[in-house]
Amino acid sequence: EELRRCVNRAIDADGDGIAAADCVDARGTPLGTDCDDASAAVYPGALELCDAMGLDEDCDPATLGGRDLDADGFVD
């Protein structure tokens, strides 16, 4: 039933204006791009934060993780 709700229209459960990526059409193509539709703070284009929880705010796994801006070998 949950899947059928997304077949014709992607759901935006968190109200951030970005539809859920886990809603797919009949061919399996995602209808949205939001990787975490339960959190309005997580969506493509959100500012990626360096946080202790390791949350991927911008839905880009390439930017997830610790930063070492001063290149001293230790995460900021």
Side-chain angles (χ1 to χ4, degrees), residues 4-35:
R4 281 191 281 175
R5 284 185 20 188
C6 334
V7 169
N8 297 318
R9 177 180 56 87
I11 298 168
D12 179 18
D14 59 13
D16 62 6
I18 310 294
D22 57 355
C23 286
V24 297
D25 66 12
R27 295 176 303 242
T29 303
L31 296 172
T33 57
D34 194 338
C35 63

Side-chain angles (χ1 to χ4, degrees), residues 5-74:
R5 284 185 20 188
C6 334
V7 169
N8 297 318
R9 177 180 56 87
I11 298 168
D12 179 18
D14 59 13
D16 62 6
I18 310 294
D22 57 355
C23 286
V24 297
D25 66 12
R27 295 176 303 242
T29 303
L31 296 172
T33 57
D34 194 338
C35 63
D36 183 356
D37 205 38
S39 172
V42 177
Y43 57 90
L47 178 64
E48 185 67 49
L49 304 174
C50 185
D51 52 19
M53 297 181 332
L55 187 63
D56 183 10
E57 289 88 1
D58 67 356
C59 295
D60 182 357
T63 61
L64 181 62
R67 300 178 309 165
D68 182 14
L69 292 178
D70 61 1
D72 66 355
F74 296 95

